[in-house]
Amino acid sequence: MTSTYDVLLRRLQAAFDLVAPGADPVLRQSDRGDYQANGVMSLAKQTGRPPRDVAEQIVGLVDLVGVASADIAGPGFLNLTLSPSFMNAQLGVLLGDARMGVASASRAKNVVIDYSAPNVAKEMHVGHLRSTVIGDALARMYRFAGHHVIARNHVGDWGTPFGMLIEHLVDLGEEQAMASLSIGDLDSFYRAARTKFDVDDDFKERSRARVVALQAGDAETRRLWSILVSESVAYFAEVYTKLDITLAPEDVVGESYYNDKLDDVVRDLDQAGLLVESDGALCVFPPGFTNRDGEPLPLIVQKRDEGYGYAATDLAAVRDRVRNLHGDELLYVVGAPQAQHFEMIFAVARLAGWLPENVRCEHVIFGNVLGPDRKMFKTRSGETVKLVGLLDEATERAYAALEERHSDLSESERIHLAVQVARAAVKYADLSTERQRDYIFDLDRMIAFEGDTGPYLQYAHARLRSIFRRLGSTWNSDGASFALEVPAQRHLALGLLAFPEAFELALAALQPHRLCVYLFDLAQRFTAFYEACPVLSAEGALREERLALCDLTARTLSLGLSLLGIEAPDQM
Ligand code: ARG
């Protein structure tokens, strides 16, 4: 189907084009009228004419017959009111559309999304939680839009710390090391290695030799290294299952994958005349980057000791994603502190000709997770908070809340539901703020069944499903049409028609947050409708109409939540 927004936009665009080709009508839903076009003002500026004149001209030109009436307000706002017959027709199409009006992309793009990316033998912290949850929502949204998503879990599986980690593994014995890693005891493993490295000179020496052996490809060292990697990756996979994340084992393409591509990176940068030796290191100085003293800032590609680092790997990854994966879009869902790193990587890749102009490359930044004291979220003893622990705690609370509400759930139903509610609470809290902003991790607020929370939206959905359960027989929409005579019905209907543009806006801005705002608003429209309009006790056509509105609302909530990676249980 063509979404309501697109129908209106096309017709307005045709009129705007007649005045000034390509002028943006700036159309959106609004409380005045149903939709508002705000593009007249800039069109007036562009043509040097009074806004109201231009507005009148547009109203004269635009073909809105059968769709809407258009009124001019204020300095040149165009308020559009949809006709009842048009709304009825659009809602009727929605009843049979599993995509709730969202069109599928006419050309599927390859979208490479780099997300999650924890580090081997290190605990996943709340920063990785954000990357995982936001990245997975974006992946689901892109897939739904009809694109081909290639997820890249760029795990940190290489570098100098692996010398000490391997030696620690040798000291512990493989069996014991594996046991502690597989239960996710990554941080104490890492810390023990680090402590020995700091106090024990002999251990330090062995660790250094180990790094050399690892880089030289020594078979036994590689075998020990791969134990660390595979145990950690298996543990990460468990966390993904717990969180219901779509990342698969084959999406793990860690830093080490690029090792044999790094020589080429350096050679090609050199041939392009971009490489400069500075303090014994090989660097690129992309224009426009300076340090605090105004001096040019280097991107260090090869360190003085000839080792490659994080930057070289990311350069190789950009190349791989363009050349081999044929990425049309490269997205990096990584915390804000790495902003400069990515700006420099993208700049150097463009200079080197590895990143064509038409490839969109974006660092999808997110803010910090803060504790109740507004400082970085840490445990009382100052350690990083374990992701899994948070989820378990959320599940326990959800279980208790469900126990209070319901006596008719079986034990296993309640446990299953508690898991779904806990995931919703944690994910929605993360997704529902603009991602660039910090947010406070407050389990009580996140898990509440009231307010702008995941469980609230799940509950709204379940409440809708319960209406159909109480109906006693299966319902189909054959007899439904939409007269929308009660304002609350019309208000809800407008909300339903707005799903496509909310989704597309969220996707274009890479802001799952916008989808959250939409869903919360829809749930509130439903609540107002439900208070004003009895459903099951209504009769005849009115009952069919209201049931159809309930059906559309339930399906929109469920689809919207699924795009955020949140399940919508039928019963709560
Ligand atoms: N492992 C890194 C970290 O924990 C994140 C990697 C992000 N992705 C990338 N291509 N650099 O900070």
Short mmCIF file of all heavy atoms in Angstrom, two decimals, residues 426-464:
data_model
loop_
_atom_site.label_atom_id
_atom_site.label_comp_id
_atom_site.label_asym_id
_atom_site.label_seq_id
_atom_site.Cartn_x
_atom_site.Cartn_y
_atom_site.Cartn_z
N VAL A 426 14.90 -3.56 30.08
CA VAL A 426 16.29 -3.14 29.88
C VAL A 426 16.49 -2.54 28.48
O VAL A 426 17.10 -1.48 28.32
CB VAL A 426 17.24 -4.35 30.09
CG1 VAL A 426 18.65 -4.01 29.67
CG2 VAL A 426 17.19 -4.80 31.54
N LYS A 427 15.94 -3.18 27.48
CA LYS A 427 16.15 -2.67 26.11
C LYS A 427 15.43 -1.34 25.90
O LYS A 427 15.99 -0.41 25.34
CB LYS A 427 15.62 -3.69 25.09
CG LYS A 427 16.52 -4.90 24.92
CD LYS A 427 15.96 -5.78 23.82
CE LYS A 427 16.88 -6.94 23.50
NZ LYS A 427 16.34 -7.77 22.41
N TYR A 428 14.17 -1.29 26.34
CA TYR A 428 13.40 -0.07 26.08
C TYR A 428 14.02 1.13 26.79
O TYR A 428 14.08 2.22 26.24
CB TYR A 428 11.94 -0.26 26.48
CG TYR A 428 11.05 0.86 26.01
CD1 TYR A 428 10.49 0.85 24.74
CD2 TYR A 428 10.79 1.95 26.85
CE1 TYR A 428 9.68 1.90 24.30
CE2 TYR A 428 9.98 3.00 26.41
CZ TYR A 428 9.43 2.96 25.15
OH TYR A 428 8.63 4.00 24.71
N ALA A 429 14.50 0.93 28.02
CA ALA A 429 15.11 2.04 28.76
C ALA A 429 16.31 2.57 27.98
O ALA A 429 16.56 3.78 27.93
CB ALA A 429 15.55 1.58 30.15
N ASP A 430 17.02 1.66 27.33
CA ASP A 430 18.19 2.07 26.57
C ASP A 430 17.79 2.79 25.28
O ASP A 430 18.39 3.78 24.87
CB ASP A 430 19.03 0.84 26.26
CG ASP A 430 20.42 1.21 25.84
OD1 ASP A 430 20.57 1.94 24.86
OD2 ASP A 430 21.38 0.75 26.51
N LEU A 431 16.76 2.26 24.63
CA LEU A 431 16.39 2.77 23.30
C LEU A 431 15.53 4.01 23.36
O LEU A 431 15.43 4.75 22.39
CB LEU A 431 15.64 1.68 22.53
CG LEU A 431 16.47 0.44 22.19
CD1 LEU A 431 15.56 -0.67 21.65
CD2 LEU A 431 17.55 0.78 21.17
N SER A 432 14.87 4.25 24.49
CA SER A 432 13.85 5.29 24.51
C SER A 432 14.41 6.68 24.80
O SER A 432 13.67 7.65 24.78
CB SER A 432 12.74 4.96 25.49
OG SER A 432 13.27 4.87 26.79
N THR A 433 15.70 6.77 25.08
CA THR A 433 16.28 8.11 25.12
C THR A 433 17.06 8.32 23.82
O THR A 433 17.53 7.35 23.22
CB THR A 433 17.29 8.30 26.26
OG1 THR A 433 18.15 7.16 26.29
CG2 THR A 433 16.61 8.46 27.59
N GLU A 434 17.19 9.54 23.40
CA GLU A 434 18.01 9.84 22.25
C GLU A 434 19.37 9.22 22.52
O GLU A 434 19.94 9.42 23.59
CB GLU A 434 18.16 11.35 22.16
CG GLU A 434 17.86 11.92 20.82
CD GLU A 434 18.00 13.41 20.86
OE1 GLU A 434 17.24 14.04 21.62
OE2 GLU A 434 18.87 13.92 20.17
N ARG A 435 19.87 8.47 21.56
CA ARG A 435 21.04 7.65 21.89
C ARG A 435 22.28 8.46 22.28
O ARG A 435 23.12 8.01 23.05
CB ARG A 435 21.37 6.67 20.76
CG ARG A 435 21.67 7.31 19.46
CD ARG A 435 22.07 6.29 18.40
NE ARG A 435 21.91 6.84 17.08
CZ ARG A 435 22.68 7.78 16.56
NH1 ARG A 435 23.71 8.26 17.26
NH2 ARG A 435 22.44 8.26 15.35
N GLN A 436 22.41 9.70 21.78
CA GLN A 436 23.60 10.50 22.10
C GLN A 436 23.65 10.89 23.58
O GLN A 436 24.70 11.26 24.08
CB GLN A 436 23.64 11.80 21.28
CG GLN A 436 23.91 11.60 19.80
CD GLN A 436 22.64 11.41 18.98
OE1 GLN A 436 21.61 10.97 19.52
NE2 GLN A 436 22.69 11.69 17.70
N ARG A 437 22.49 10.79 24.24
CA ARG A 437 22.45 11.25 25.62
C ARG A 437 22.80 10.15 26.61
O ARG A 437 22.60 8.98 26.33
CB ARG A 437 21.07 11.81 25.95
CG ARG A 437 20.77 12.90 24.97
CD ARG A 437 19.63 13.78 25.27
NE ARG A 437 19.04 13.78 26.60
CZ ARG A 437 17.86 14.32 26.81
NH1 ARG A 437 17.19 14.83 25.82
NH2 ARG A 437 17.37 14.34 28.02
N ASP A 438 23.28 10.55 27.77
CA ASP A 438 23.51 9.61 28.86
C ASP A 438 22.16 9.22 29.43
O ASP A 438 21.20 9.96 29.32
CB ASP A 438 24.32 10.27 29.99
CG ASP A 438 25.70 10.72 29.51
OD1 ASP A 438 26.13 10.28 28.42
OD2 ASP A 438 26.33 11.52 30.23
N TYR A 439 22.07 8.05 30.04
CA TYR A 439 20.86 7.78 30.80
C TYR A 439 21.20 7.08 32.10
O TYR A 439 22.26 6.48 32.25
CB TYR A 439 19.84 6.99 29.98
CG TYR A 439 20.10 5.51 29.81
CD1 TYR A 439 19.54 4.57 30.69
CD2 TYR A 439 20.88 5.04 28.77
CE1 TYR A 439 19.77 3.22 30.53
CE2 TYR A 439 21.12 3.68 28.59
CZ TYR A 439 20.55 2.77 29.48
OH TYR A 439 20.79 1.43 29.32
N ILE A 440 20.28 7.21 33.05
CA ILE A 440 20.52 6.64 34.37
C ILE A 440 19.91 5.25 34.44
O ILE A 440 18.75 5.06 34.08
CB ILE A 440 19.92 7.56 35.46
CG1 ILE A 440 20.71 8.87 35.47
CG2 ILE A 440 19.96 6.89 36.83
CD1 ILE A 440 20.16 9.90 36.43
N PHE A 441 20.71 4.32 34.87
CA PHE A 441 20.22 2.95 34.98
C PHE A 441 19.44 2.81 36.28
O PHE A 441 20.01 2.75 37.36
CB PHE A 441 21.40 1.97 34.94
CG PHE A 441 20.96 0.57 34.64
CD1 PHE A 441 20.97 0.10 33.33
CD2 PHE A 441 20.51 -0.27 35.64
CE1 PHE A 441 20.55 -1.18 33.03
CE2 PHE A 441 20.07 -1.55 35.35
CZ PHE A 441 20.09 -2.01 34.05
N ASP A 442 18.13 2.77 36.13
CA ASP A 442 17.26 2.75 37.31
C ASP A 442 16.24 1.62 37.11
O ASP A 442 15.22 1.78 36.45
CB ASP A 442 16.56 4.12 37.42
CG ASP A 442 15.55 4.16 38.56
OD1 ASP A 442 15.28 3.10 39.18
OD2 ASP A 442 15.02 5.25 38.83
N LEU A 443 16.57 0.48 37.70
CA LEU A 443 15.78 -0.72 37.46
C LEU A 443 14.31 -0.54 37.86
O LEU A 443 13.41 -1.01 37.17
CB LEU A 443 16.40 -1.88 38.23
CG LEU A 443 16.37 -3.25 37.56
CD1 LEU A 443 16.80 -3.20 36.12
CD2 LEU A 443 17.24 -4.22 38.32
N ASP A 444 14.08 0.19 38.96
CA ASP A 444 12.70 0.39 39.42
C ASP A 444 11.85 1.10 38.36
O ASP A 444 10.73 0.71 38.09
CB ASP A 444 12.66 1.24 40.70
CG ASP A 444 13.11 0.43 41.89
OD1 ASP A 444 12.89 -0.80 41.87
OD2 ASP A 444 13.69 1.01 42.82
N ARG A 445 12.44 2.13 37.78
CA ARG A 445 11.70 2.89 36.78
C ARG A 445 11.52 2.07 35.50
O ARG A 445 10.45 2.05 34.90
CB ARG A 445 12.45 4.19 36.47
CG ARG A 445 11.63 5.22 35.71
CD ARG A 445 12.47 6.45 35.36
NE ARG A 445 13.70 6.11 34.67
CZ ARG A 445 13.76 5.82 33.36
NH1 ARG A 445 12.68 5.85 32.63
NH2 ARG A 445 14.92 5.52 32.81
N MET A 446 12.58 1.38 35.10
CA MET A 446 12.56 0.63 33.85
C MET A 446 11.51 -0.47 33.83
O MET A 446 10.92 -0.78 32.81
CB MET A 446 13.94 -0.03 33.63
CG MET A 446 15.00 0.94 33.23
SD MET A 446 16.69 0.39 33.58
CE MET A 446 16.74 -1.19 32.85
N ILE A 447 11.32 -1.07 34.99
CA ILE A 447 10.48 -2.26 35.04
C ILE A 447 9.02 -1.93 35.39
O ILE A 447 8.16 -2.81 35.37
CB ILE A 447 11.08 -3.28 36.03
CG1 ILE A 447 10.68 -4.71 35.67
CG2 ILE A 447 10.74 -2.95 37.45
CD1 ILE A 447 11.83 -5.58 35.38
N ALA A 448 8.75 -0.64 35.67
CA ALA A 448 7.39 -0.25 36.05
C ALA A 448 6.41 -0.53 34.91
O ALA A 448 6.73 -0.40 33.74
CB ALA A 448 7.36 1.24 36.41
N PHE A 449 5.19 -0.91 35.30
CA PHE A 449 4.15 -1.18 34.30
C PHE A 449 3.44 0.09 33.88
O PHE A 449 2.55 0.05 33.05
CB PHE A 449 3.14 -2.20 34.86
CG PHE A 449 3.65 -3.61 34.84
CD1 PHE A 449 4.80 -3.96 35.52
CD2 PHE A 449 2.99 -4.59 34.13
CE1 PHE A 449 5.29 -5.27 35.50
CE2 PHE A 449 3.46 -5.90 34.10
CZ PHE A 449 4.61 -6.24 34.79
N GLU A 450 3.78 1.20 34.51
CA GLU A 450 3.21 2.48 34.10
C GLU A 450 4.34 3.40 33.65
O GLU A 450 5.47 3.25 34.07
CB GLU A 450 2.48 3.14 35.28
CG GLU A 450 1.06 2.65 35.46
CD GLU A 450 0.96 1.74 36.66
OE1 GLU A 450 1.48 2.12 37.72
OE2 GLU A 450 0.38 0.65 36.54
N GLY A 451 3.98 4.36 32.81
CA GLY A 451 4.97 5.31 32.32
C GLY A 451 5.57 4.85 31.00
O GLY A 451 5.13 3.85 30.42
N ASP A 452 6.56 5.59 30.56
CA ASP A 452 7.16 5.32 29.26
C ASP A 452 8.17 4.17 29.37
O ASP A 452 9.38 4.38 29.36
CB ASP A 452 7.85 6.62 28.78
CG ASP A 452 8.33 6.49 27.34
OD1 ASP A 452 8.00 5.49 26.68
OD2 ASP A 452 9.04 7.41 26.90
N THR A 453 7.66 2.96 29.52
CA THR A 453 8.54 1.81 29.73
C THR A 453 8.19 0.68 28.76
O THR A 453 7.09 0.63 28.21
CB THR A 453 8.39 1.24 31.16
OG1 THR A 453 7.09 0.62 31.28
CG2 THR A 453 8.54 2.31 32.22
N GLY A 454 9.12 -0.25 28.62
CA GLY A 454 8.86 -1.42 27.79
C GLY A 454 7.70 -2.26 28.33
O GLY A 454 6.78 -2.62 27.58
N PRO A 455 7.71 -2.58 29.64
CA PRO A 455 6.60 -3.36 30.18
C PRO A 455 5.24 -2.69 29.99
O PRO A 455 4.24 -3.36 29.77
CB PRO A 455 6.96 -3.48 31.67
CG PRO A 455 8.45 -3.43 31.70
CD PRO A 455 8.83 -2.48 30.61
N TYR A 456 5.19 -1.36 30.05
CA TYR A 456 3.92 -0.67 29.82
C TYR A 456 3.39 -0.95 28.41
O TYR A 456 2.21 -1.23 28.21
CB TYR A 456 4.08 0.85 30.03
CG TYR A 456 2.91 1.66 29.53
CD1 TYR A 456 1.69 1.67 30.21
CD2 TYR A 456 3.00 2.40 28.35
CE1 TYR A 456 0.60 2.39 29.72
CE2 TYR A 456 1.92 3.13 27.85
CZ TYR A 456 0.72 3.12 28.54
OH TYR A 456 -0.34 3.83 28.06
N LEU A 457 4.29 -0.88 27.43
CA LEU A 457 3.86 -1.12 26.05
C LEU A 457 3.46 -2.58 25.86
O LEU A 457 2.49 -2.89 25.16
CB LEU A 457 4.96 -0.73 25.07
CG LEU A 457 5.22 0.78 25.01
CD1 LEU A 457 6.39 1.09 24.08
CD2 LEU A 457 3.97 1.51 24.52
N GLN A 458 4.21 -3.47 26.48
CA GLN A 458 3.83 -4.89 26.42
C GLN A 458 2.44 -5.08 27.03
O GLN A 458 1.61 -5.82 26.51
CB GLN A 458 4.84 -5.75 27.19
CG GLN A 458 6.16 -5.94 26.49
CD GLN A 458 7.09 -6.81 27.29
OE1 GLN A 458 7.20 -6.66 28.51
NE2 GLN A 458 7.78 -7.73 26.64
N TYR A 459 2.22 -4.39 28.13
CA TYR A 459 0.95 -4.53 28.83
C TYR A 459 -0.20 -3.98 27.98
O TYR A 459 -1.27 -4.60 27.88
CB TYR A 459 1.02 -3.81 30.19
CG TYR A 459 -0.24 -3.92 30.97
CD1 TYR A 459 -0.70 -5.17 31.40
CD2 TYR A 459 -0.99 -2.80 31.26
CE1 TYR A 459 -1.89 -5.28 32.10
CE2 TYR A 459 -2.18 -2.90 31.97
CZ TYR A 459 -2.63 -4.15 32.38
OH TYR A 459 -3.80 -4.26 33.06
N ALA A 460 0.05 -2.85 27.33
CA ALA A 460 -0.98 -2.27 26.45
C ALA A 460 -1.34 -3.28 25.35
O ALA A 460 -2.52 -3.46 25.02
CB ALA A 460 -0.47 -0.97 25.83
N HIS A 461 -0.33 -3.92 24.82
CA HIS A 461 -0.58 -4.92 23.77
C HIS A 461 -1.38 -6.11 24.31
O HIS A 461 -2.35 -6.55 23.70
CB HIS A 461 0.76 -5.38 23.18
CG HIS A 461 0.63 -6.54 22.26
ND1 HIS A 461 0.84 -7.84 22.66
CD2 HIS A 461 0.27 -6.60 20.96
CE1 HIS A 461 0.61 -8.64 21.64
NE2 HIS A 461 0.28 -7.93 20.59
N ALA A 462 -0.96 -6.60 25.48
CA ALA A 462 -1.64 -7.77 26.05
C ALA A 462 -3.10 -7.45 26.38
O ALA A 462 -3.99 -8.28 26.21
CB ALA A 462 -0.90 -8.23 27.31
N ARG A 463 -3.32 -6.22 26.82
CA ARG A 463 -4.68 -5.80 27.15
C ARG A 463 -5.56 -5.85 25.89
O ARG A 463 -6.70 -6.27 25.92
CB ARG A 463 -4.63 -4.37 27.70
CG ARG A 463 -5.84 -4.00 28.52
CD ARG A 463 -5.54 -2.82 29.43
NE ARG A 463 -4.99 -1.70 28.68
CZ ARG A 463 -5.33 -0.42 28.90
NH1 ARG A 463 -6.22 -0.12 29.83
NH2 ARG A 463 -4.78 0.54 28.22
N LEU A 464 -4.99 -5.42 24.77
CA LEU A 464 -5.72 -5.48 23.50
C LEU A 464 -6.05 -6.92 23.12
O LEU A 464 -7.15 -7.24 22.69
CB LEU A 464 -4.88 -4.84 22.40
CG LEU A 464 -4.95 -3.31 22.35
CD1 LEU A 464 -3.71 -2.73 21.74
CD2 LEU A 464 -6.18 -2.91 21.58
#
